[in-house]
C-alpha cells in the first residue's frame, strides 16, 4: 500500500473552529440539553463531560436557574471536534491549550494552525506505520493460506 500525501484544504472563510455543522437533535434556540442527554448523544459519560468542564476543555457551559448544566448545539459541535482530536492521539494538554487559544481570539490563529498541522503530521505518520503493519499482516495471511493449500494437495 502507498500513503498518498494530501494537502490541507485552504479557505478564506473564518467561521467556527468546530467540525462542519451536522444535524442536531433540536433546532438552535431550543437547544438546551441536560448532561444525560449530551451523554446519550455523544457516548461520553457525565463524569467525562464534568471533567472536560473542570480542566477547561468545555468552559462556559450554561446553567439553569437550579444550577444544572445546559448544553447547546454549539457545545455538541465542539464535543464532536474534541472527539476527532482524541482520535488523532492529541494529548489532553494540547486539546486544552487549543481551547485556551480559541478563547484568546483571532491573534492566536497562527499558533492554532501550527498545533493542528503538527497533529496532522503525526496522524499521517501513524497512517504510514499502520499501512506498513497491514502489509506485514497481508504477507503472513498469504503465507498461511498458501501453506494450507499446499498441505491440502499432499
Amino acid at each position: 500500500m502507498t500513503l498518498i500525501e494530501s494537502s490541507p484544504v485552504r479557505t478564506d472563510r473564518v467561521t467556527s473552529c468546530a467540525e462542519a455543522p451536522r444535524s442536531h437533535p433540536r433546532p438552535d434556540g431550543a437547544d438546551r440539553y441536560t448532561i444525560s442527554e449530551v451523554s446519550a448523544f455523544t457516548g461520553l459519560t457525565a463524569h467525562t463531560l464534568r471533567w472536560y468542564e473542570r480542566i477547561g476543555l468545555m468552559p462556559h457551559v450554561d446553567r439553569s436557574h437550579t444550577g444544572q448544566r445546559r448544553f447547546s448545539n454549539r457545545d455538541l459541535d465542539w464535543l464532536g471536534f474534541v472527539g476527532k482530536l482524541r482520535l488523532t492521539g492529541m494529548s489532553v494538554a494540547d486539546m486544552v491549550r487549543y481551547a485556551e487559544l480559541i478563547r484568546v481570539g483571532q491573534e492566536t490563529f497562527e499558533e492554532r494552525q501550527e498545533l493542528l498541522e503538527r497533529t496532522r503530521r503525526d496522524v499521517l505518520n501513524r497512517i504510514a506505520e499502520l499501512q506498513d503493519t497491514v502489509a506485514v499482516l497481508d504477507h503472513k495471511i498469504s503465507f498461511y493460506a498458501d501453506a494450507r493449500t499446499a498441505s491440502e494437495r499432499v
Side-chain angles (χ1 to χ4, degrees):
M1 291 189 179
T2 306
L3 173 66
I4 299 173
E5 182 72 29
S6 63
S7 299
V9 176
R10 302 277 184 211
T11 179
D12 294 333
R13 273 184 12 174
V14 177
T15 53
S16 173
C17 292
E19 65 184 5
R22 56 182 178 189
S23 64
H24 297 106
R26 296 185 191 132
D28 288 345
D31 59 335
R32 293 294 171 242
Y33 306 101
T34 65
I35 198 165
S36 60
E37 289 173 319
V38 172
S39 182
F41 297 147
T42 64
L44 298 169
T45 65
H47 174 77
T48 298
L49 293 167
R50 287 185 201 102
W51 181 64
Y52 279 4
E53 188 178 5
R54 213 170 30 253
I55 65 172
L57 196 51
M58 285 271 336
H60 311 298
V61 174
D62 287 339
R63 302 282 180 145
S64 71
H65 67 284
T66 61
Q68 290 182 312
R69 289 169 181 83
R70 292 290 182 224
F71 296 85
S72 67
N73 288 335
R74 187 172 178 198
D75 295 325
L76 293 180
D77 290 342
W78 174 251
L79 288 168
F81 181 66
V82 167
K84 297 296 184 195
L85 293 178
R86 287 178 58 219
L87 287 173
T88 70
M90 181 185 277
S91 70
V92 172
D94 279 347
M95 286 187 273
V96 170
R97 176 69 183 142
Y98 185 82
E100 289 169 351
L101 292 170
I102 289 171
R103 286 190 293 279
V104 170
Q106 290 184 355
E107 62 265 27
T108 66
F109 276 6
E110 187 176 338
E111 191 174 348
R112 285 187 251 170
Q113 180 180 353
E114 289 170 5
L115 190 126
L116 294 175
E117 286 175 349
R118 184 178 68 237
T119 300
R120 184 179 185 279
R121 282 191 303 272
D122 293 345
V123 168
L124 289 172
N125 287 335
R126 282 189 25 231
I127 289 170
E129 290 171 351
L130 289 171
Q131 287 176 327
D132 288 343
T133 302
V134 167
V136 169
L137 291 172
D138 288 345
H139 174 75
K140 286 295 189 180
I141 290 167
S142 178
F143 170 82
Y144 289 119
D146 292 345
R148 191 182 68 236
T149 304
S151 69
E152 289 172 356
R153 280 187 263 145
V154 175

